[in-house]
């Protein structure tokens, strides 16, 4: 845990990063620490906005600022999320034994039991023995002074307290920690940047793939519209041709029926005239005159009746269009099955019907795709004494 916390520590304030900035050199820095660096570069009556560059405290790389200043630098959101999760998962504070393990090891290697560290904050003479050394303040405190100067609240909770060591050892401890933290942080940041680069590459490929999907889908939709419009045009053309045939059949039937109607009307008119004369003759009271006209009218009526049977053909009252049989069931089935092309199912070999002789093989099969399959490729193997020969044959 202390190794992870050392990697998450700012090289300036020696505390966990707070609102870290991602510098172009791949190092990180607290926003407030970066602001303090700019303030330290300001001359008298000079504003922070006038500073356009500063050096990275870790690698001394010159960081050039834009017109937005520090706000123009990217926030290291990933590092901040790691710090937040570390703080939530941590069960000990910065002054826990795990935090001071390195300091105790340093103390054991560099100090002897005879050395004593006195409190540097006491007003007493002589000063009391120190119980803790604050690495952040670089001051050793006795128990009473430590409670007075480091209450349990921010920002003092972030100060690093270790076992008391002399002043000459504090700077060496801080240098060792700084180098270790620098190496660990650079290593982890390098891995993190590499991972982010890989994710950015993957993201670019995903975005490019989405664009290709959009373009290809638009092409397929245009192709579908074009093919469907072509089918509709063909159907409309066939509809017009068949409709013309139906109209021609209608005109022919109506012409024949009109001729028959005219003949019937003509016969009816002639018959009506004879009927009128016959009725008038039947009303004649003069027997002599009746006999003179009756015989003539009777002959005419008989001739008219006989001629009507000969001249008027049999009337055809068939008004159906049986000869125009429309059956689009097969075409409807094909239209209902419109879809992308798929590979047809392989045919089923009828082994019970297959035969073989010395140099002839007859293969029988059944297929559900007899209309869509033009030919099949039959692959068979000839077993010989020395080698097996594989052949292909189109059927």
């Amino acid at each position: 845990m202390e190794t992870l916390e050392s990697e998450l520590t700012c090289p300036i304030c020696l505390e966990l990063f707070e609102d870290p900035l991602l510098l172009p050199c791949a190092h990180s820095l607290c926003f407030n620490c970066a602001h303090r660096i700019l303030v330290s570069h300001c001359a008298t009556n000079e504003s922070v906005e006038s500073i356009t560059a500063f050096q990275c405290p870790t690698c001394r790389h010159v960081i050039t600022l834009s017109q937005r200043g520090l706000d123009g630098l990217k926030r290291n959101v990933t590092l901040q999320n790691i710090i937040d999760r570390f703080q939530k998962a941590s069960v000990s504070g910065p002054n826990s034994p795990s935090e001071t393990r390195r300091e105790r090891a340093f103390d054991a290697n560099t100090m002897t039991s005879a050395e004593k560290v006195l409190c540097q904050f006491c007003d007493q003479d002589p000063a009391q023995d120190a119980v803790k050394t604050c690495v952040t303040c670089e001051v050793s405190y006795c128990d009473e002074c430590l409670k007075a100067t480091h209450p349990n609240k921010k920002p003092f909770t972030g100060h690093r307290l270790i076992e008391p060591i002399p002043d000459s050892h504090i700077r060496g401890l801080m240098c060792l920690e700084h180098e270790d933290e620098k190496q660990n942080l650079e290593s982890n940041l390098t891995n993190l940047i590499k991972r982010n680069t890989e994710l950015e590459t993957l993201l670019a490929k995903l975005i490019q793939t989405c664009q290709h999907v959009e373009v290809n889908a638009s092409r397929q939709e245009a192709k579908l519209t074009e093919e469907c419009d072509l089918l509709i045009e063909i159907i409309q053309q066939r509809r017009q041709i068949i409709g013309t045939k139906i109209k021609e059949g209608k005109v022919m039937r109506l012409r024949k029926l009109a001729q028959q109607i005219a003949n019937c009307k003509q016969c009816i008119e002639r018959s009506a005239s004879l009927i009128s004369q016959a009725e008038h003759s039947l009303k004649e009271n003069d027997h002599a005159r009746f006999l003179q006209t009756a015989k003539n009218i009777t002959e005419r009526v008989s001739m008219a009746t006989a001629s009507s049977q000969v001249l008027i053909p049999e009337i055809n009252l068939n008004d159906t269009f049986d000869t125009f049989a429309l059956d689009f069931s097969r075409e409807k089935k094909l239209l209902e099955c419109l879809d992308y092309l798929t590979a047809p199912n392989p045919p089923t070999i009828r082994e019970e019907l297959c035969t073989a002789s010395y140099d002839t093989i007859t293969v029988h099969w059944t297929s559900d795709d007899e209309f869509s399959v033009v030919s099949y490729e039959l692959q068979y193997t000839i077993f010989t004494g020395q080698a097996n020969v594989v052949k292909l044959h189109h059927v």
Side-chain angles (χ1 to χ4, degrees):
M1 184 68 78
E2 66 262 28
T3 302
L4 177 59
E5 185 171 355
S6 65
E7 296 174 355
L8 305 178
T9 303
C10 174
I12 299 298
C13 62
L14 299 179
E15 299 180 7
L16 293 178
F17 283 105
E18 183 176 357
D19 193 12
L21 297 174
L22 181 59
L23 304 180
C25 60
H27 293 124
S28 294
L29 196 64
C30 294
F31 183 88
N32 291 334
C33 293
H35 185 269
R36 286 198 293 269
I37 292 177
L38 298 183
V39 171
S40 65
H41 286 73
C42 291
T44 306
N45 299 329
E46 186 179 11
S47 62
V48 177
E49 290 75 10
S50 61
I51 306 300
T52 59
F54 69 96
Q55 287 185 336
C56 171
T58 303
C59 64
R60 299 304 177 184
H61 178 76
V62 178
I63 310 300
T64 304
L65 300 177
S66 64
Q67 294 180 353
R68 297 178 57 191
L70 294 178
D71 292 331
L73 298 176
K74 293 183 179 179
R75 295 301 198 273
N76 198 335
V77 181
T78 303
L79 180 60
Q80 184 63 55
N81 293 336
I82 294 174
I83 294 174
D84 295 340
R85 297 171 73 176
F86 170 78
Q87 290 177 335
K88 291 180 181 179
S90 178
V91 295
S92 60
N95 300 324
S96 64
S98 61
E99 177 68 22
T100 58
R101 189 177 301 161
R102 188 192 307 269
E103 288 80 354
R104 287 201 299 269
F106 182 89
D107 179 61
N109 294 330
T110 58
M111 292 182 59
T112 63
S113 58
E115 290 181 300
K116 289 186 178 180
V117 180
L118 300 179
C119 177
Q120 298 174 303
F121 202 77
C122 276
D123 294 332
Q124 302 180 14
D125 190 19
Q128 298 185 14
D129 294 342
V131 296
K132 292 290 182 181
T133 296
C134 179
V135 180
T136 307
C137 302
E138 300 185 19
V139 176
S140 298
Y141 298 96
C142 64
D143 185 61
E144 183 178 352
C145 293
L146 179 65
K147 293 179 180 179
T149 59
H150 287 70
N152 190 19
K153 61 180 181 179
K154 289 185 176 182
F156 301 104
T157 54
H159 286 207
R160 305 181 61 167
L161 301 177
I162 62 175
E163 296 301 320
I165 59 175
D167 291 347
S168 60
H169 296 162
I170 294 179
R171 177 58 57 185
L173 175 64
M174 295 182 64
C175 292
L176 290 175
E177 289 182 348
H178 179 268
E179 289 298 324
D180 192 16
E181 291 175 0
K182 176 182 176 181
Q183 293 178 1
N184 291 334
L185 184 58
E186 287 179 349
S187 176
N188 283 276
L189 283 179
T190 300
N191 294 333
L192 184 61
I193 292 173
K194 180 179 178 181
R195 180 56 180 166
N196 283 344
T197 303
E198 294 174 354
L199 291 175
E200 290 176 355
T201 303
L202 176 60
L203 178 61
K205 290 182 179 179
L206 291 174
I207 294 175
Q208 186 179 14
T209 303
C210 290
Q211 295 174 349
H212 291 169
V213 168
E214 292 285 347
V215 172
N216 293 333
S218 299
R219 290 177 180 174
Q220 290 297 323
E221 290 176 354
K223 182 65 175 178
L224 175 62
T225 302
E226 180 182 354
E227 293 294 334
C228 289
D229 291 342
L230 182 59
L231 287 176
I232 293 173
E233 182 179 357
I234 294 174
I235 292 175
Q236 290 177 345
Q237 291 177 356
R238 298 307 303 171
R239 176 183 177 182
Q240 185 176 2
I241 293 173
I242 297 174
T244 302
K245 292 181 179 180
I246 294 175
K247 291 179 180 179
E248 291 175 352
K250 180 184 72 172
V251 171
M252 181 183 66
R253 283 168 170 76
L254 292 178
R255 186 183 297 114
K256 291 181 179 180
L257 290 174
Q259 184 63 36
Q260 292 180 356
I261 291 173
N263 293 336
C264 287
K265 288 182 177 180
Q266 186 177 4
C267 291
I268 291 172
E269 291 177 356
R270 293 176 181 176
S271 298
S273 176
L274 288 175
I275 291 171
S276 176
Q277 293 180 9
E279 289 178 350
H280 181 72
S281 178
L282 290 174
K283 295 179 181 180
E284 182 63 49
N285 294 326
D286 187 351
H287 296 285
R289 187 176 294 179
F290 173 76
L291 291 174
Q292 290 178 355
T293 59
K295 185 176 181 180
N296 185 21
I297 294 175
T298 300
E299 292 176 356
R300 290 173 61 188
V301 170
S302 299
M303 291 175 62
T305 303
S307 63
S308 63
Q309 297 294 334
V310 176
L311 296 176
I312 299 178
E314 182 181 357
I315 299 176
N316 185 8
L317 299 179
N318 185 10
D319 56 356
T320 62
F321 283 72
D322 295 337
T323 56
F324 293 89
L326 297 177
D327 184 8
F328 296 147
S329 57
R330 183 171 178 271
E331 288 75 8
K332 290 178 181 177
K333 185 177 181 180
L334 291 175
L335 289 175
E336 290 173 355
C337 296
L338 285 179
D339 204 343
Y340 287 106
L341 290 177
T342 56
N345 297 323
T348 303
I349 303 296
R350 301 286 301 276
E351 296 183 3
E352 69 277 8
L353 300 178
C354 297
T355 59
S357 61
Y358 176 73
D359 58 353
T360 303
I361 298 176
T362 304
V363 180
H364 289 261
W365 69 83
T366 57
S367 174
D368 297 332
D369 302 295
E370 55 181 341
F371 295 107
S372 59
V373 177
V374 178
S375 64
Y376 290 103
E377 185 179 81
L378 177 63
Q379 179 176 346
Y380 58 92
T381 304
I382 300 177
F383 295 95
T384 62
Q386 298 179 352
N388 298 332
V389 181
V390 179
K391 294 187 176 182
L392 296 177
H393 181 64
H394 292 277
V395 293

